[in-house]
Amino acid sequence: MGYKIGLDLGSTAIKMVLVKNNEIAWSRKVPTAPGQEALALELVKGAVSECGLKESDIDQIAATGYGKKLMSAAGHTVDEISANAQGLHWLSEGRCRTIINIGGQDLKVINLNENGRIADFKMNDKCAAGTGRFFEQAARILDTPLESFGEMSKLADEPLELNSTCVVFAESEIVSLLAKGVPKERIIKGLHHSVARRITHLLGNRNTPKSGDIYLDGGPSQNPGLLEALEDELLMEVKVLPNPQFTVAFGATLSLN
Amino acid sequence: MNNTQQDDREGRIKKKIFDRFEDETAQEIKNLKSRPDFSPELEYFVDLLAAGRDPATISERTGRPVVALMCLQAPLELFHVFGLQPFKIFGGAMVSQRLSAPQLPAIMCPMLRSALGELQLDLAGQKGQRFLAWVAPTTCDWVVKIQDMMEVCGIKEKPPFHRLELPHMKDRDESQERWLEEVYLLKNFLSQLTGQKKIKRQALANSMSLYQKSWHVFSKLIDLKRIGLVPELWFMVISNSFFFDDVEKWTTAVEKALLTFKTKNESPDIFLAGSPIFFPNLKMLHLLEEAGLNVSMDDLCSSERIFPGAVYFDDVSEHGLLKALAQRYHQGCLCPTFADNDRRINNIIAPAHKDLFKGVVFHVLKGCHPFDLESLTLESRLKDQGLKFIKLETDYTSEDSQTLLTRLEAYRSALTN
């Protein structure tokens, strides 16, 4: 008894957390595919089974993300911006004032007030530039696993100046650079900086917190190369919590309170 | 491909887009008529929009030849006194852009791109009657260049085209004098067009009185909207249909409709600002409703701004009446193409301080540069005063509905915190 489930049905991955007393007891993600509700229910079954629970131990399910309305088993839905705000406010113990969230297909900057409520937010327009999809595409063109980006980025002295964060144009630019023999490390470092600049523009001076901390979350926040580039562009410290891709799903469970 | 084959291909493309255009319109009509708050009093407005916007249909309904009007700064009373029906050109259908887009810049006002596509369908030609003339106040760049764009799109409308040079510094006396000259030039143009050498002063006063009454009734509808009784969707349907019928008939229908709105919307009130919204593209209004936000005020030129406000006059000479019209249509206009447009921003900030709404939703159509630019000043001034603001950029497509809804839902959370 007393367990809650938070499901974040995103554009590229479905993330789930099992929570008891506002602590994450179990978490997992699977790639988004047709039949999102069935995939999410599989995750729920997996959590129940692996944690030795019965389905009746689950009190409530909250869904968030683009696919939240597909989840008929969820008794409660919340928009992902509010869920993100609540999740990070709790997990940062109230220190967070700005969230930079990099999702599969969007970028968000969320400003919080001292109570963890949304003070303001900005999102990119309908373009995958600088999002998780952009990194996936770059990894494919570079024939390099995304997990290696952080380490490879550190090997480059100077980032290469990349002109485009557009998924389509960046592809031709990267192909052209590879053809010229530019080392992958420099290209990757350049990619991190170009995305960091895009985030900095979205953040703007107005949204830069005057107090409190900036946190980066979403899948790409696990890339230390991107974090370093972002701190370099912002000239500010940016924090990342453990398991940053589950913040939104966790925040959804807090909205049940 | 020879010329016959090319003509045949173009004909088939137009037919295909026309069919989809009809489907898109029919779908929105169905949406409106299936709403639980649809009532017989609203049927008149929905049917006007459904019946089409070609000059033959409107002329038959109003008994007046129809003049196409690009923007709202030209005094409508002048058209009326010359026995003409002004019709504001707009494009609301997403699908009609497909015809015009290949000839036009990639980033341009989607509303006009849609309007141009619709003109390419040549509904007017099919019904055997074109607009008697075109009148275009020089507002934004897209409107200034509309005649050129019509030409490159191969639009068959070739009636007389009259531009009114709009002074963009409206608070200068010189601008007022200049605009009065333009109103006189419009009068001369309409005189030549209709062959009426003179207008009777009393007839002009009567036309002004009709529009004054219409504005008065419309103001009552606005008052009901302010207290949450009129959903913005219905408000938009009513105001969008303004040019489709004789002003007296439309006013009578609005008067009847006032009685139909009885249920108060308890959702958080917002001010909707920015680019205009036209039937059948009511996407943004559906999304606002879905997100649980109620529009209690707006400053859209397709909605609350279809009238410039009440026209007052002391001097009852023809010159006095024309001067009163010129002043009201120029100074009362809040179009962002004006350089000195602080009044528009103050009109949003002042009621915010009186708690008449909780936040501003700024709707920008991609390529609508004047509104986009003005949103920056507004955002800065509102946020400096601790007021909530969100800008939503969109175009004539439904694919961004989910991301827009996410933002609106989060905005609602921010407003209710």
Side-chain angles (χ1 to χ4, degrees):
Chain A
M1 290 290 282
Y3 286 92
K4 293 174 191 169
I5 281 176
L7 278 161
D8 174 9
L9 294 101
S11 57
T12 56
I14 300 172
K15 287 80 69 178
M16 192 197 113
V17 291
L18 178 74
V19 170
K20 187 164 189 182
N21 298 327
N22 291 342
E23 296 279 342
I24 298 176
W26 185 93
S27 63
R28 187 156 301 162
K29 65 171 184 168
V30 292
T32 297
Q36 286 188 63
E37 185 173 27
L39 289 170
L41 290 173
E42 278 301 309
L43 283 175
V44 175
K45 273 187 193 168
V48 167
S49 159
E50 287 177 33
C51 296
L53 304 174
K54 299 189 288 293
E55 285 201 9
S56 58
D57 291 325
I58 311 296
D59 288 348
Q60 288 168 295
I61 299 179
T64 187
Y66 288 119
K68 63 181 181 288
K69 287 184 182 154
L70 301 171
M71 196 64 209
S72 57
H76 175 76
T77 59
V78 59
D79 69 88
E80 53 267 44
I81 298 171
S82 299
N84 204 166
Q86 290 188 55
L88 243 166
H89 178 70
W90 179 273
L91 294 168
S92 71
E93 297 174 343
R95 283 192 288 273
C96 175
R97 286 290 179 278
T98 303
I99 304 168
I100 298 165
N101 176 283
I102 306 178
Q105 289 178 15
D106 60 27
L107 272 180
K108 306 181 193 85
V109 169
I110 309 166
N111 292 118
L112 312 183
N113 63 22
E114 61 276 15
N115 301 317
R117 301 292 181 185
I118 301 167
D120 196 6
F121 64 91
K122 285 210 187 286
M123 278 174 78
N124 62 327
D125 55 13
K126 51 172 191 176
C127 166
T131 68
R133 184 74 77 199
F134 173 78
F135 282 110
E136 284 173 14
Q137 193 82 346
R140 186 184 59 78
I141 303 159
L142 290 162
D143 194 22
T144 302
L146 207 44
E147 296 73 30
S148 315
F149 270 33
E151 284 308 311
M152 289 181 74
S153 185
K154 282 183 187 166
L155 298 174
D157 294 334
E158 282 299 316
L160 195 85
E161 194 74 24
L162 280 167
N163 296 316
S164 184
T165 49
C166 165
V167 173
V168 177
F169 291 124
E171 175 166 353
S172 52
E173 196 173 354
I174 294 169
V175 168
S176 165
L177 290 167
L178 288 173
K180 285 178 191 164
V182 177
K184 285 182 181 178
E185 291 80 1
R186 280 196 71 203
I187 298 174
I188 289 169
K189 191 160 185 152
L191 284 171
H192 291 151
H193 275 267
S194 69
V195 170
R197 275 194 297 276
R198 187 170 166 79
I199 293 169
T200 308
H201 292 158
L202 187 66
L203 191 69
N205 286 334
R206 180 176 279 278
N207 293 315
T208 308
K210 302 200 171 33
S211 63
D213 296 337
I214 303 183
Y215 284 79
L216 178 66
D217 73 0
S221 60
Q222 293 168 298
N223 175 349
L226 176 63
L227 181 67
E228 188 185 309
L230 194 55
E231 289 185 326
D232 193 42
E233 292 291 338
L234 283 174
L235 299 175
M236 294 177 89
E237 185 191 3
V238 178
K239 296 183 174 179
V240 180
L241 291 167
N243 301 314
Q245 69 273 49
F246 293 103
T247 322
V248 180
F250 174 70
T253 66
L254 295 175
S255 72
L256 291 166
N257 294 336
Chain B
M1 194 184 283
N2 62 37
N3 288 346
T4 312
Q5 285 171 321
Q6 181 65 20
D7 287 350
D8 179 49
R9 182 181 158 271
E10 284 177 12
R12 280 186 288 128
I13 290 171
K14 278 188 183 174
K15 170 78 173 66
K16 193 172 162 186
I17 291 180
F18 176 72
D19 289 346
R20 290 188 184 170
F21 170 81
E22 297 247 283
D23 289 347
E24 195 179 328
T25 304
Q27 183 57 53
E28 192 51 51
I29 295 291
K30 193 177 161 194
N31 290 343
L32 291 167
K33 289 197 169 181
S34 59
R35 284 170 63 92
D37 57 358
F38 176 70
S39 70
E41 289 81 7
L42 297 169
E43 192 154 25
Y44 163 82
F45 306 102
V46 178
D47 288 348
L48 283 181
L49 296 176
R53 37 192 181 260
D54 59 278
T57 306
I58 297 160
S59 180
E60 192 181 328
R61 188 183 295 124
T62 58
R64 291 159 175 263
V66 186
V67 174
L69 179 62
M70 287 308 304
C71 281
L72 297 171
Q73 293 79 7
L76 304 178
E77 292 86 340
L78 261 186
F79 295 88
H80 189 268
V81 78
F82 278 103
L84 301 166
Q85 174 71 17
F87 184 79
K88 165 86 175 71
I89 291 294
F90 67 90
M94 295 177 184
V95 72
S96 49
Q97 300 177 100
R98 292 189 202 168
L99 267 184
S100 55
Q103 290 91 33
L104 296 170
I107 297 175
M108 79 164 274
C109 167
M111 192 281 284
L112 282 179
R113 192 166 51 210
S114 165
L116 288 163
E118 207 175 302
L119 288 165
Q120 282 176 277
L121 287 172
D122 199 24
L123 305 178
Q126 288 172 34
K127 295 273 184 86
Q129 187 177 338
R130 296 193 189 281
F131 291 107
L132 188 65
W134 282 68
V135 171
T138 52
T139 51
C140 69
D141 290 352
W142 304 116
V143 170
V144 168
K145 288 290 177 194
I146 192 72
Q147 201 176 9
D148 304 68
M149 289 191 285
M150 284 166 72
E151 195 179 324
V152 299
C153 288
I155 289 163
K156 291 177 181 158
E157 291 278 347
K158 301 283 180 205
F161 199 101
H162 180 78
R163 288 192 180 88
L164 286 93
E165 191 186 352
L166 185 72
H168 289 273
M169 296 285 286
K170 63 183 167 184
D171 287 337
R172 277 188 184 169
D173 290 344
E174 293 85 348
S175 297
Q176 290 303 305
E177 285 164 22
R178 179 77 196 89
W179 184 240
L180 180 58
E181 285 172 20
E182 286 295 330
V183 169
Y184 266 100
L185 289 172
L186 174 65
K187 189 197 124 191
N188 294 344
F189 173 73
L190 298 178
S191 174
Q192 283 178 8
L193 190 69
T194 57
Q196 295 181 50
K197 288 191 177 165
K198 286 187 173 179
I199 49 168
K200 287 183 179 166
R201 183 180 59 82
Q202 188 56 49
L204 179 57
N206 288 346
S207 292
M208 288 169 73
S209 167
L210 275 181
Y211 276 88
Q212 186 82 350
K213 187 192 170 196
S214 192
W215 157 242
H216 181 66
V217 172
F218 189 64
S219 302
K220 288 184 184 172
L221 189 71
I222 293 176
D223 290 344
L224 293 182
K225 190 170 101 169
R226 295 282 185 272
I227 55 172
L229 288 176
V230 184
E232 183 72 346
L233 256 169
W234 287 123
F235 194 90
M236 197 64 71
V237 166
I238 293 170
S239 46
N240 269 195
S241 67
F242 175 55
F243 292 96
F244 285 65
D245 202 355
D246 173 75
V247 65
E248 280 186 280
K249 283 196 271 176
W250 182 84
T251 307
T252 305
V254 177
E255 231 162 356
K256 285 182 190 162
L258 292 173
L259 306 171
T260 197
F261 299 110
K262 295 190 173 76
T263 311
K264 187 167 163 45
N265 189 333
E266 301 293 347
S267 303
D269 290 332
I270 56 122
F271 190 113
L272 179 62
S275 306
I277 291 174
F278 290 105
F279 173 87
N281 181 14
L282 304 178
K283 170 182 80 173
M284 188 56 73
L285 305 182
H286 286 294
L287 292 172
L288 284 163
E289 277 196 356
E290 199 176 336
L293 293 165
N294 176 56
V295 179
S296 63
M297 300 181 85
D298 79 64
D299 67 357
L300 273 51
C301 64
S302 58
S303 181
E304 287 193 29
R305 282 207 292 118
I306 56 169
F307 288 92
V311 182
Y312 299 107
F313 53 91
D314 297 324
D315 179 357
V316 292
S317 67
E318 186 187 309
H319 178 76
L321 297 177
L322 290 175
K323 191 175 175 185
L325 284 173
Q327 269 186 347
R328 172 46 65 182
Y329 275 81
H330 192 236
Q331 286 203 309
C333 184
L334 299 174
C335 176
T337 57
F338 285 109
D340 49 351
N341 210 26
D342 261 13
R343 203 179 314 139
R344 174 162 182 262
I345 291 171
N346 293 336
N347 277 359
I348 299 173
I349 292 176
H353 284 303
K354 291 179 189 162
D355 286 333
L356 294 180
F357 56 85
K358 287 188 171 292
V360 174
V361 173
F362 202 99
H363 166 246
V364 179
L365 290 172
K366 206 181 264 293
C368 182
H369 301 133
F371 276 110
D372 205 359
L373 289 166
E374 205 160 272
S375 75
L376 304 173
T377 318
L378 181 64
E379 178 176 11
S380 168
R381 296 219 193 144
L382 283 168
K383 287 186 174 172
D384 283 347
Q385 297 181 49
L387 300 165
K388 303 277 187 195
F389 173 95
I390 184 174
K391 179 165 89 175
L392 297 175
E393 190 177 59
T394 182
D395 51 20
Y396 275 27
T397 170
S398 53
E399 69 192 25
D400 61 352
S401 295
Q402 187 55 52
T403 59
L404 292 173
L405 182 61
T406 298
R407 292 171 208 212
L408 286 170
E409 286 173 338
Y411 188 59
R412 188 185 186 282
S413 291
L415 292 180
T416 50
N417 283 339

